[in-house]
Amino acid sequence: MALTPLDIHNKEFTRGFRGYDEDEVNDFLDLVIKDYEKVIREKKSLEDKLYEMEERLSHFTNIEETLNRSILVAQESADEVKSNANKEAKLIIKEAEKNADRIINDALAKSRSTAMEVEELKKQAKVFRTRLKMLVEAQLDIIDTNDWEELFEIDSNQDQEEEPRLNQYSTSE
């Protein structure tokens, strides 16, 4: 059991025949009591400070643990966001490549189709030219025939025959 300043103060010594000087012992005990009280107050103060420091340490330890957990969660979130962004970027690239391939294939198909149409039009133009040439040549052959001369002669003869008849109608009026 710990000794208190009151225990020191109330301590009674047995008196002996030539014992210690009572005033000197009491003065010394008073000094011991004061020092002991001082030590007890300092001890109490230090215990209070220690308790306060332990509380603060506990508080800061909790904050540190919370921050560490928050940092881990933030890192995991950042990694997840990065991973998702990479996946999305890859999907976008694949989509763009598919679209580019589709556009190229469409353009090639249109180009082939246009080339085939051009070839077909060239063939049709050649056929048309050949037919036109044959038609013009046939027409020229018709024009160059002697039938025209006979036609002009027949027309002249009819004109001459119709002239007197025309004159006859014009005088009778």
Side-chain angles (χ1 to χ4, degrees):
M1 173 168 153
L3 190 61
T4 65
L6 191 58
D7 291 339
I8 295 171
H9 181 67
N10 291 333
K11 177 67 178 163
E12 293 286 330
F13 293 100
T14 54
R15 299 189 190 256
F17 177 70
R18 292 193 98 209
Y20 294 109
D21 181 9
E22 193 174 321
D23 290 335
E24 196 176 320
V25 169
N26 285 338
D27 288 341
F28 180 74
L29 286 177
D30 286 341
L31 280 174
V32 169
I33 289 171
K34 286 179 187 174
D35 285 345
Y36 195 69
E37 283 177 346
K38 182 180 172 186
V39 167
I40 288 175
R41 277 193 305 270
E42 285 177 0
K43 180 183 175 235
K44 176 69 174 143
S45 173
L46 290 174
E47 285 174 347
D48 290 346
K49 281 185 180 180
L50 177 63
Y51 178 76
E52 183 182 323
M53 293 298 166
E54 285 175 346
E55 288 292 316
R56 288 180 72 191
L57 178 63
S58 174
H59 174 73
F60 288 125
T61 302
N62 287 339
I63 289 174
E64 180 184 20
E65 289 173 3
T66 302
L67 287 174
N68 285 337
R69 283 193 300 264
S70 297
I71 289 171
L72 286 175
V73 168
Q75 285 176 340
E76 289 171 358
S77 295
D79 291 343
E80 187 176 330
V81 166
K82 259 194 219 175
S83 174
N84 288 341
N86 284 335
K87 287 177 185 176
E88 190 172 337
K90 286 179 183 177
L91 287 175
I92 289 171
I93 289 170
K94 282 184 181 179
E95 181 91 13
E97 287 173 349
K98 285 180 184 178
N99 284 340
D101 287 344
R102 183 184 50 77
I103 289 169
I104 289 170
N105 289 336
D106 288 349
L108 287 173
K110 286 180 182 178
S111 172
R112 287 184 192 120
S113 173
T114 303
M116 288 171 51
E117 286 177 21
V118 166
E119 288 301 317
E120 183 63 30
L121 287 173
K122 283 181 181 179
K123 287 178 187 176
Q124 288 177 5
K126 284 180 184 178
V127 168
F128 177 76
R129 181 176 174 243
T130 304
R131 286 184 181 170
L132 181 63
K133 185 177 178 183
M134 288 171 52
L135 180 66
V136 168
E137 286 174 354
Q139 294 297 320
L140 284 174
D141 285 345
I142 291 173
I143 290 173
D144 287 341
T145 64
N146 290 333
D147 293 340
W148 286 99
E149 294 299 324
E150 291 173 9
L151 182 65
F152 288 139
E153 286 177 13
I154 292 173
D155 281 346
S156 308
N157 290 338
Q158 280 181 353
D159 285 343
Q160 288 173 358
E161 288 174 5
E162 287 180 8
E163 237 176 77
R165 271 192 261 158
L166 285 175
N167 286 337
Q168 180 184 8
Y169 289 119
S170 49
T171 55
S172 59
E173 291 178 13

